[in-house]
Amino acid sequence: MNVLFLCTGNSCRSILAEATFNHLAPAGWTAMSAGSAPTGQVHPRSLALLAREGIAIDGYHSKSWDQLPLTPDVVVTVCSNAAGEACPAYLGKVLRTHWGVDDPAHATGTDAQIDAAFLAAYRILRVRIEAFFALPLAELQAQPERLKAELDRIGALLP
């Protein structure tokens, strides 16, 4: 199964989610990420955080959803509706869910405060991805309505 983490810029949240998902994924599950208006570069703080967490960072880059190597089975939007951010709508026959996370790229303050915003986004995504992999995935793959309900429920989890 292929999971697409989708946001606007594809520099922070969706990259954090893609790398974390791939780090934790069992055989047969792959994540990719993209943006509707990619920035063209991965935020250096995202890469530094992933490296500190022991997650490989090679090969990750900011890209458009027009450049996907595979067709996704599941699309997870990670934009923050609460911050008034418009979520891109992936067109295609896929299961869709929303896991809103504030964009740490917009964090302001001291270096420590900005790093804390990146860590908060990472922790939210990690908790949700771990909950995803705790599901009976083999069973749920044959029950898309139930899988969607579980993914929607996971989208509200916080660390």
Side-chain angles (χ1 to χ4, degrees), residues 10 14-15 17-19 21 25 41 44 67 75 79 82-83 88 95-96 101 106 108 112 114 123 135 140 143 147 156:
N10 190 221
S14 54
I15 295 285
E18 175 187 15
F21 187 100
Q41 67 178 6
Q67 300 170 323
V75 173
C79 45
L95 191 151
R96 295 173 186 83
V101 178
H106 298 301
T108 58
I114 295 169
R123 285 184 175 156
L135 295 172
L140 291 174
Q143 301 174 37
L147 177 57

Side-chain angles (χ1 to χ4, degrees), residues 71-75 90-96 144:
T71 301
D73 301 295
V74 176
V75 173
Y90 183 85
L91 303 177
K93 188 175 165 90
V94 297
L95 191 151
R96 295 173 186 83

Side-chain angles (χ1 to χ4, degrees), residues 57-109:
I57 58 173
D58 293 338
Y60 291 106
H61 62 284
S62 177
K63 61 202 155 302
S64 170
W65 57 6
D66 296 330
Q67 300 170 323
L68 297 176
L70 305 164
T71 301
D73 301 295
V74 176
V75 173
V76 180
T77 51
V78 293
C79 45
S80 178
N81 289 346
E85 187 178 5
C87 276
Y90 183 85
L91 303 177
K93 188 175 165 90
V94 297
L95 191 151
R96 295 173 186 83
T97 193
H98 178 69
W99 293 359
V101 178
D102 289 339
D103 190 351
H106 298 301
T108 58

Side-chain angles (χ1 to χ4, degrees), residues 6 10 15 24-25 27-28 36 40 51 79 81 90 92 97 110 112 115 117 119 128 130-131 138-139 142 149:
L6 183 62
N10 190 221
I15 295 285
L24 299 173
S36 58
C79 45
N81 289 346
Y90 183 85
T97 193
T110 65
D115 284 343
L119 185 57
R128 293 174 182 174
E130 287 173 348
E139 176 185 321

Side-chain angles (χ1 to χ4, degrees), residues 125-140:
L125 291 165
R126 175 109 186 192
V127 162
R128 293 174 182 174
I129 291 165
E130 287 173 348
F132 178 93
F133 288 130
L135 295 172
L137 294 172
E139 176 185 321
L140 291 174

